[in-house]
């Protein structure tokens, strides 16, 4: 373990503004870790270009051509953050003993990586990078992020609170992860299922040094839906519960109508009837949408299409 080869996997999508700073900091960190004996001499940084439309790949090619500690993986198109990260991890496991995944913006503190390696040398196969607090986030970002984790927990998806994709994985943990073949990837939910010895390293999230966030609200919502439908059938059970509630409400309305007729009172029904029809109709459409989301996942998984295609690999 003392000479363990470390691969730092960095998925990139339109990151030309921040990548030079990222590479300088990660290269200096890796050199220091090798010098201190925390990583082996063959350790490297693997940048994964996820179909960027700017000069991201040109920068990666330059880094890989000028230093033996930098490699570049160019995907044939944009496949999304999770698939790009998985492409990097599957490539790195061919010759690395341990991998650390981190986003290119370096908002996750790279100084937590040496502590991760110490825990790895102490016997941990998985080490999660977990944020201490969210003081640097805007109110909206902080609120929606907290709602995301609570929602996932409420839906029965096992995940680590305040942890994204900043984590260390040993080769055997990564080998186990690669046995999961689903196309709808949600790594934050998959990794906790592996069951190997885990630990956490806490850090303070930093400000983005350049560029813009690649996770707006729309992508966060899509990410949450992917996570829930990939790991939980609770929404389907909730549909049954909703049906039972509607049935009880209809029985209560039936009793009310019978009592009203017995007392000779007229039923003023047009507004309430129309409201009920629209309400139930909306609930039915929501339920059908939930079912359709699961059917869509089955459709995607059944085709067994590749998650990605590699266009070029620079060592």
């Amino acid at each position: 373990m003392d000479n363990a080869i470390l691969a730092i996997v960095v998925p990139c999508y339109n990151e030309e503004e921040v990548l030079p700073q990222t590479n300088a900091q990660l290269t200096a960190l890796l050199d220091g870790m090798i010098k201190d004996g925390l990583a082996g001499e063959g350790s490297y940084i693997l940048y994964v270009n996820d179909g960027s439309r700017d000069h991201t790949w040109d920068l990666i090619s330059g880094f890989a051509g000028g230093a033996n500690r930098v490699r570049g993986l160019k995907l044939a198109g944009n496949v999304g953050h999770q698939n790009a990260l998985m492409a990097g991890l599957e490539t790195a496991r061919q010759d690395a003993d341990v991998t650390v995944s981190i986003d290119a913006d370096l908002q996750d503190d790279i100084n937590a990586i040496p502590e991760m390696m110490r825990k790895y040398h102490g016997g941990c196969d998985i080490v999660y990078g977990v944020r201490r607090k969210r003081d640097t986030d805007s109110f909206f970002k902080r609120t929606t992020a907290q709602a995301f984790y609570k929602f996932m927990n409420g839906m029965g998806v096992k995940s680590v609170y305040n942890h994204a994709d900043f984590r260390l994985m040993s080769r055997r943990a990564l080998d186990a992860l690669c046995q999961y073949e689903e196309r709808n990837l949600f790594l934050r939910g998959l990794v906790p299922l592996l069951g190997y010895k885990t630990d956490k390293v806490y850090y303070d999230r930093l400000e983005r040094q350049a560029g813009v966030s690649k996770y707006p609200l729309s992508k966060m919502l899509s990410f949450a839906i992917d996570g829930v439908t990939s790991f939980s059938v609770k929404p389907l059970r909730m549909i049954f519960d909703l049906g039972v509630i509607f049935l009880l409400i209809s029985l209560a309305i039936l009793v009310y109508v019978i009592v009203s007729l017995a007392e000779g009172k007229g039923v003023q029904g047009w507004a309430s009837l129309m409201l009920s029809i629209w309400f139930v109709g909306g609930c039915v459409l929501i339920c059908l949408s939930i079912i359709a989301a699961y059917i869509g996942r089955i459709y995607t998984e059944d085709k067994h299409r590749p998650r990605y295609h590699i266009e070029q690999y620079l060592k």
Side-chain angles (χ1 to χ4, degrees):
M1 277 194 177
D2 291 340
N3 295 318
I5 295 177
L6 166 66
I8 302 177
V9 179
V10 188
C12 306
Y13 177 68
N14 293 342
E15 298 287 2
E16 66 175 358
E17 294 182 45
V18 74
L19 211 53
Q21 301 176 53
T22 299
N23 187 65
Q25 293 184 39
L26 286 178
T27 302
L29 175 78
L30 194 57
D31 287 339
M33 292 177 63
I34 293 173
K35 183 179 179 180
D36 294 338
L38 289 175
E41 181 60 37
S43 299
Y44 58 92
I45 305 162
L46 175 61
Y47 294 105
V48 183
N49 181 46
D50 183 24
S52 298
R53 296 190 298 269
D54 59 5
H55 296 290
T56 295
W57 179 246
D58 294 333
L59 290 172
I60 294 173
S61 300
F63 299 152
N68 57 6
R69 301 207 190 283
V70 177
R71 301 184 185 183
L73 185 69
K74 184 180 183 181
L75 302 184
N78 178 251
V79 296
H81 179 273
Q82 296 291 281
N83 285 319
L85 177 54
M86 196 65 193
L89 293 174
E90 288 182 329
T91 301
R93 78 172 178 136
Q94 299 173 10
D95 54 13
D97 300 304
V98 56
T99 59
V100 170
S101 57
I102 188 170
D103 289 341
D105 56 22
L106 291 193
Q107 287 186 274
D108 298 319
D109 189 2
I110 64 173
N111 294 312
I113 296 178
E115 181 61 26
M116 289 181 173
M117 286 298 293
R118 292 186 185 95
K119 292 183 180 294
Y120 165 74
H121 289 305
C124 292
D125 286 285
I126 302 170
V127 183
Y128 299 106
V130 180
R131 296 179 62 172
R132 288 193 182 93
K133 50 190 176 181
R134 289 185 171 270
D135 292 350
T136 57
D137 288 349
S138 64
F139 174 79
F140 177 77
K141 177 70 174 180
R142 181 167 60 252
T143 303
T144 54
Q146 291 174 346
F148 170 81
Y149 287 108
K150 290 179 180 179
F151 175 71
M152 299 300 288
N153 183 61
M155 290 294 102
V157 181
K158 187 178 180 182
S159 60
V160 179
Y161 185 71
N162 272 347
H163 164 72
D165 287 301
F166 183 29
R167 71 178 70 88
L168 174 148
M169 297 185 69
S170 68
R171 177 179 287 179
R172 72 169 180 172
L174 191 52
D175 287 342
L177 177 64
C178 290
Q179 294 177 23
Y180 291 77
E181 298 181 351
E182 54 253 55
R183 269 54 188 164
N184 298 292
L185 279 177
F186 184 70
L187 295 176
R188 302 181 197 184
L190 279 177
V191 175
L193 297 178
L194 300 181
Y196 292 109
K197 184 178 179 180
T198 65
D199 206 338
K200 300 175 183 177
V201 170
Y202 293 90
Y203 67 96
D204 294 318
R205 192 167 171 84
L206 308 173
E207 295 285 350
R208 172 180 266 271
Q209 299 182 28
V212 296
S213 173
K214 305 304 185 297
Y215 262 92
L217 178 60
S218 59
K219 282 195 174 183
M220 287 183 63
L221 291 175
S222 177
F223 196 49
I225 293 172
D226 286 344
V228 171
T229 53
S230 296
F231 287 89
S232 175
V233 295
K234 195 170 183 178
L236 296 176
R237 298 193 186 105
M238 290 171 63
I239 293 175
F240 174 79
D241 296 338
L242 192 62
V244 172
I245 292 173
F246 284 166
L247 178 61
L248 295 176
I249 292 175
S250 64
L251 291 175
I253 293 174
L254 177 62
V255 171
Y256 170 76
V257 171
I258 293 174
V259 171
S260 296
L261 291 175
E263 294 178 349
K265 298 179 180 179
V267 179
Q268 300 177 3
W270 189 86
S272 60
L273 178 61
M274 293 302 294
L275 180 62
S276 299
I277 290 175
W278 282 99
F279 175 72
V280 174
C283 291
V284 170
L285 289 176
I286 291 173
C287 295
L288 288 176
S289 297
I290 294 174
I291 295 172
Y294 281 93
I295 294 175
R297 295 296 181 273
I298 296 171
Y299 174 68
T300 302
E301 296 294 337
D302 189 60
K303 289 184 292 187
H304 295 288
R305 291 178 177 174
R307 297 192 187 112
Y308 57 86
H309 294 286
I310 296 175
E311 182 174 332
Q312 191 174 1
Y313 182 29
L314 299 177
K315 291 188 178 182

